[in-house]
Amino acid sequence: IVPIDAPPTSAVLYSHADFKATIQPEKAGDTKDFYERCFAEAAAINLFFPDVRSENIRICMTAWLAANCAADDTLEAMPPAAATLALEETISKLQGKKADGM
């Protein structure tokens, strides 16, 4: 896979940086690393979904990527038993089941 599209637009990058700063304020800031990660996440969407031209859709897709990465970071920091329980509860809720009815 090779990039065939232009770099992410500034609208995608600014929206993504605002979103990422909201979901992970401890990682945000006016740092080069923070913006490089934002650029890399937006560029990944461009790379893997080159036919998606709408900026609004790219913004949403980049936000989903960041949210899933943030959830992964949180799970990796948890003890295995707690992470397993959190995933089981989340899956149950997504399936429409009550947490106490598992």
Side-chain angles (χ1 to χ4, degrees):
I1 299 175
V2 294
I4 57 172
D5 204 354
T9 64
S10 59
V12 174
L13 287 172
Y14 289 129
S15 293
H16 184 57
D18 287 344
F19 174 75
K20 192 166 176 114
T22 301
I23 64 170
Q24 290 184 305
E26 71 281 359
K27 293 186 178 183
D30 194 18
T31 65
K32 182 179 176 183
D33 182 58
F34 174 74
Y35 288 104
E36 284 177 354
R37 285 190 57 104
C38 290
F39 181 88
E41 290 166 349
I45 297 302
N46 284 357
L47 177 64
F48 291 111
F49 302 96
D51 292 336
V52 176
R53 303 283 181 218
S54 166
E55 280 188 344
N56 289 336
I57 293 173
R58 285 180 186 246
I59 289 168
C60 290
M61 292 175 79
T62 306
W64 271 109
L65 175 61
N68 284 315
C69 289
D72 182 64
D73 291 347
T74 300
L75 286 169
E76 287 178 352
M78 296 171 75
T84 300
L85 180 61
L87 285 172
E88 288 172 350
E89 288 179 7
T90 300
I91 291 168
S92 180
K93 288 178 182 179
L94 290 171
Q95 292 173 336
K97 299 175 185 173
K98 292 183 180 179
D100 58 358
M102 292 195 307

